[in-house]
Amino acid sequence: MMGWADAVTLCGGGVRLELLDRRHHDQLVESTRDGRLWELWYTSVPAPEAMADEISRRLELYRRRLMVPFAVIDQASGGAVGMTTYMNIDATNRRLEIGSTWYRESVWRSGLNTRCKLLLLSHAFETMDCIAVEFRTHFFNRRSRTAIERLGAKLDGVLRSHQVLADGTLRDTCVYSIIAAEWPTVKTHLTFEANWAGDGSTDGSVLG
C-alpha cells in the first residue's frame, strides 16, 4: 500500500494535474480573482492574500502524506487555473476523497472539470486499485452537488452539523461516492463527455 500519497502528474484532454508548488502562487491568485471566489460563503476558496498560506498548508499535508495536492494547469495557456487534491487517503481500506477543488470562473462549463475528474478517477481506480472514491460538499453548494451527481457519483448521505466554518455557521456535508463496480460505466460516460459532447454538460464549478 506504500506510495498512495506519492506525487504523480496526470495529463490528458488539454489539462495537466501536477504537484502543487509555490511557483504556482501568482497564477492561482489571478485565478481566484476571476469571479471573486472567496466571497462564496459555502466554499473554502482562499482569498488572494491567503493563497500563500493555503499552498503551504496543502504542502505540509503532502509532506505528512495526508494529501496529494495538485495545481490544475490549462495546457493551452500553460497557466494554473485552480487546485484539487486526493485527500482523506485510507490506503488500508483502499479509499480516498477527491476534494478541496476550485477553478477560476472562466473555465466553468468548459468541460475542464469533467476532464480533471476523468484523470483523477482513472488513476484512483486503475492504478491505485481503489474500492471507492468519495466527494464531499456543502449542502447549500447546489452547483457543486449537481456537478458531482452528473459525474455519476451517488449520494451516500448527509452529515448534519459536520463542520464549523470560519464565519461560525455550521456545514451540513453531502457525501457522495463512486465504487469500483460502477467505474467502468462511469468511465464510459465521462470519456464520452470529455471527447465527444464538448459542451460541459457534466461540468460545473465544483467548489468544495
Side-chain angles (χ1 to χ4, degrees), residues 48-62:
E49 65 273 14
M51 186 63 70
D53 286 344
E54 177 61 11
I55 292 173
S56 294
R57 183 187 75 84
R58 295 193 188 203
L59 289 178
E60 173 60 18
L61 290 171
Y62 171 66

Side-chain angles (χ1 to χ4, degrees), residues 10-12 15 17 86 115-124:
L10 306 174
C11 298
V15 64
L17 304 178
Y86 286 144
R115 296 192 293 273
C116 286
K117 292 303 188 290
L118 179 59
L119 291 171
L120 291 164
L121 288 164
S122 294
H123 185 72

Side-chain angles (χ1 to χ4, degrees), residues 41-42 137-145 170 172 174:
W41 72 273
Y42 48 77
T137 193
H138 198 302
F139 178 84
F140 283 107
N141 193 341
R142 305 293 185 181
R143 185 185 296 272
S144 182
R145 290 177 61 186
L170 297 176
D172 290 348
C174 295

Side-chain angles (χ1 to χ4, degrees), residues 85-157:
T85 75
Y86 286 144
M87 55 191 289
N88 291 325
I89 297 169
D90 183 351
T92 301
N93 292 299
R94 292 165 36 213
R95 302 177 66 96
L96 56 78
E97 177 187 345
I98 296 173
S100 292
T101 300
W102 63 268
Y103 310 113
R104 64 184 302 153
E105 188 177 48
S106 60
V107 302
W108 296 4
R109 306 294 298 177
S110 69
L112 180 136
N113 178 56
T114 303
R115 296 192 293 273
C116 286
K117 292 303 188 290
L118 179 59
L119 291 171
L120 291 164
L121 288 164
S122 294
H123 185 72
F125 284 115
E126 297 170 13
T127 300
M128 301 173 76
D129 195 29
C130 284
I131 61 174
V133 174
E134 290 185 7
F135 304 86
R136 299 187 178 203
T137 193
H138 198 302
F139 178 84
F140 283 107
N141 193 341
R142 305 293 185 181
R143 185 185 296 272
S144 182
R145 290 177 61 186
T146 298
I148 291 169
E149 290 168 5
R150 284 175 173 168
L151 293 172
K154 294 181 173 60
L155 180 65
D156 294 320

Side-chain angles (χ1 to χ4, degrees), residues 150-194:
R150 284 175 173 168
L151 293 172
K154 294 181 173 60
L155 180 65
D156 294 320
V158 180
L159 303 177
R160 302 184 65 194
S161 294
H162 180 232
Q163 291 179 313
V164 181
L165 301 185
D167 64 0
T169 61
L170 297 176
R171 166 171 149 158
D172 290 348
T173 299
C174 295
V175 182
Y176 292 85
S177 69
I178 297 170
I179 61 174
E182 297 166 343
W183 171 236
T185 301
V186 171
K187 181 180 181 180
T188 298
H189 163 64
L190 293 181
T191 301
F192 174 81
E193 292 293 337

